[in-house]
Amino acid sequence: MHLHLDTDLGENPDDACALAMVLGCPDVELTGVTTVGDPHGQRAGYVRHLLHLAGGDDVPVASGAAVSSTTEKPMGRLPEHDRYWDHPVTPTKSPAGAAVDLLDASLSRGAAIAAIGPFTNLADLQAERPGRLSQTQVFAMGGSFGAGDGGRPDWSPVLDTNVQRDPRAAHILLHAADVTWVPLAVTTRAQLGAAQLPRLIAAGALGALLARQLAAFASDRRAHHLAADRSSGVADDVVAFLHDPLTCAMALHWREVSAQTARVHAVMNADGLRFERTSTGRRCRVATNVDGDAFVDRWLATVKTASEPRVATVRGGCRLPRGTCET
């Protein structure tokens, strides 16, 4: 399977967790990575560093949209570098249009897209090459579908940052592509606990870096406070919700996550853009359930594989890590 990642990696470590997961699946070829909200190429530099740790230096990377197409303002803010990274990382700034070109090249190879940041690059692709998005499947981390989602904790659509940082782009994506939405209501069931961090650390340099970032992010966001409400469904030792890895799992057809077809339309209100189910809306798929414990265990196994030394096995022109990854 061919997969392209479009990501705002460098803020919440779950983007890095998603990249590591894909690199740990030898039956999946990562055709490219584009970054969004990346005016100076720092996020792209981080991507290249992680690829290097996993022996994926041959994966093409391009920095993309700098600002939201809705607000024309920056999207997100990078945390303090020294707390999250083990040494200096050089930014990788790409020429204008490089991200759209790389997305187009991935689509030409039949790749699906895992969109795990704001959807600005995809909106740019649609604007510059109308109809191109309709030729692939997009698996988008985000989307708020109302109280019926059964999310725990019960987060407001305001926290659906991939959508709210550029709602115009989310609206374009809904109508331009064959989309599977993976909402917070489902991804919050994939919880990584502090007790599982030693498995990451033992996996090698890549896993140890992820553990460092996850611990720093949990401290910054005071993740343990979420468990104070016993009705929230959040584990006492929660470190992170694996939002973006679960989106990639949906793209890779992992059995631990499931989805249903729905018709929805987009509505803007005081909380931002959200989706409503309606019989006349745009047809899409919405992730509805995940076996959280089984998913986290399988994710940890893929990170271990990604952290192992590469071998000379070649499939479709790509060097592959040891191990297997059923889809």
Side-chain angles (χ1 to χ4, degrees):
M1 180 178 178
H2 293 169
L3 187 68
H4 180 107
L5 288 189
D6 187 66
T7 174
D8 58 348
L9 188 146
E11 196 168 347
N12 186 329
D14 70 325
D15 291 79
C17 291
L19 177 58
M21 167 186 158
V22 175
L23 293 170
C25 290
D27 293 333
V28 179
E29 181 179 344
L30 185 59
T31 59
V33 182
T34 45
T35 57
V36 62
D38 198 9
H40 308 297
Q42 186 63 62
R43 298 184 193 273
Y46 288 150
V47 169
R48 287 195 178 278
H49 178 64
L50 292 169
L51 288 171
H52 177 71
L53 289 178
D57 296 291
D58 55 341
V59 176
V61 179
S63 61
V67 298
S68 167
S69 69
T70 303
T71 65
E72 298 185 353
K73 295 180 180 180
M75 295 180 285
R77 182 172 57 186
L78 296 175
E80 180 185 352
H81 174 90
D82 290 343
R83 292 187 62 237
Y84 282 70
W85 298 88
D86 46 9
H87 61 72
V89 174
T90 304
T92 303
K93 184 74 170 71
S94 302
V100 168
D101 289 342
L102 182 52
L103 278 162
D104 188 78
S106 288
L107 296 189
S108 295
R109 300 184 63 187
I113 299 172
I116 55 176
F119 311 119
T120 317
N121 286 335
L122 303 185
D124 287 347
L125 173 64
Q126 176 65 12
E128 294 182 26
R129 296 162 202 190
R132 195 70 170 102
L133 274 179
S134 66
Q135 301 171 27
T136 190
Q137 288 187 308
V138 178
F139 297 84
M141 197 281 113
S144 178
F145 295 83
D149 291 342
R152 298 184 305 169
D154 185 16
W155 283 343
S156 163
V158 172
L159 298 178
D160 183 14
T161 56
N162 289 348
V163 169
Q164 306 310 343
R165 286 177 176 174
D166 196 347
R168 173 183 174 274
H171 191 275
I172 289 171
L173 178 62
L174 172 66
H175 291 279
D178 177 5
V179 188
T180 297
W181 299 95
V182 185
L184 287 174
V186 175
T187 61
T188 52
R189 301 173 198 168
Q191 301 174 20
L192 185 72
Q196 294 154 321
L197 292 184
R199 285 183 62 182
L200 279 179
I201 295 170
L206 178 59
L209 180 57
L210 293 181
R212 170 183 178 150
Q213 294 187 354
L214 289 162
F217 187 78
S219 176
D220 289 347
R221 299 298 177 93
R222 299 183 177 181
H224 63 281
H225 286 187
L226 293 172
D229 179 2
R230 293 297 178 181
S231 67
S232 69
V234 177
D236 290 340
D237 70 337
V238 65
V239 171
F241 300 102
L242 298 179
H243 310 289
D244 294 339
L246 194 63
T247 302
C248 291
M250 193 80 251
L252 301 180
H253 312 297
W254 280 21
R255 58 184 175 271
E256 289 83 1
V257 60
S258 58
Q260 295 178 350
T261 301
R263 286 188 176 273
V264 304
H265 71 277
V267 177
M268 282 293 295
N269 57 28
D271 288 334
L273 182 71
R274 62 182 300 274
F275 301 124
E276 291 184 353
R277 290 177 172 85
T278 172
S279 60
T280 59
R282 174 77 174 180
R283 183 185 294 274
C284 61
R285 297 176 76 231
V286 180
T288 54
N289 196 26
V290 59
D291 183 338
D293 292 340
F295 169 75
V296 170
D297 190 65
R298 188 172 178 182
W299 172 77
L300 286 164
T302 65
V303 176
K304 183 177 185 297
T305 299
S307 297
E308 293 174 348
R310 297 273 159 156
V311 295
T313 304
V314 177
R315 184 181 303 151
C318 286
R319 293 175 62 82
L320 299 174
R322 292 194 298 267
T324 59
C325 181
E326 295 181 2
T327 58

